[in-house]
């Protein structure tokens, strides 16, 4: 799968990336390569802060669970 990947201000290129995997929310352990952070739903504000500051936190995908 090709995706537009940003490498910095003004630097972007079309690159091959792995296909995203479908998450089954009944699975107790989410096995997705890009998930870097997990939060319970009640911590959604902290999850948003982590994702918003991805440069510092290294967040690629943040998952909220019930």
């Amino acid at each position: 799968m090709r995706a537009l990947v940003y490498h910095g201000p003004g630097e972007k290129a079309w690159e091959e990336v792995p296909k995203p995997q479908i998450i089954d929310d009944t699975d107790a352990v989410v096995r997705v390569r890009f998930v870097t952070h997990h939060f319970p739903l009640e911590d959604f504000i902290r999850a948003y802060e982590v994702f918003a500051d991805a440069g510092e936190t290294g967040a690629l995908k943040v998952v909220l669970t019930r």
Side-chain angles (χ1 to χ4, degrees):
M1 179 169 95
R2 292 182 60 78
L4 189 59
V5 179
Y6 289 89
H7 296 282
E11 298 179 35
K12 58 187 179 253
W14 286 98
E15 298 180 7
E16 288 295 322
V17 295
K19 279 188 174 179
Q21 298 174 3
I22 301 215
I23 299 173
D24 179 0
D25 67 352
T26 60
D27 190 359
V29 179
V30 177
R31 296 178 187 94
V32 176
R33 200 156 68 156
F34 295 109
V35 175
T36 56
H37 295 76
H38 293 263
F39 294 92
L41 187 57
E42 57 269 9
D43 287 342
F44 71 92
I45 292 175
R46 177 72 182 127
Y48 181 83
E49 291 169 347
V50 167
F51 189 71
D53 195 18
E56 283 293 315
T57 64
L60 294 176
K61 182 69 73 177
V62 174
V63 173
L64 295 166
T65 54
R66 291 184 266 155

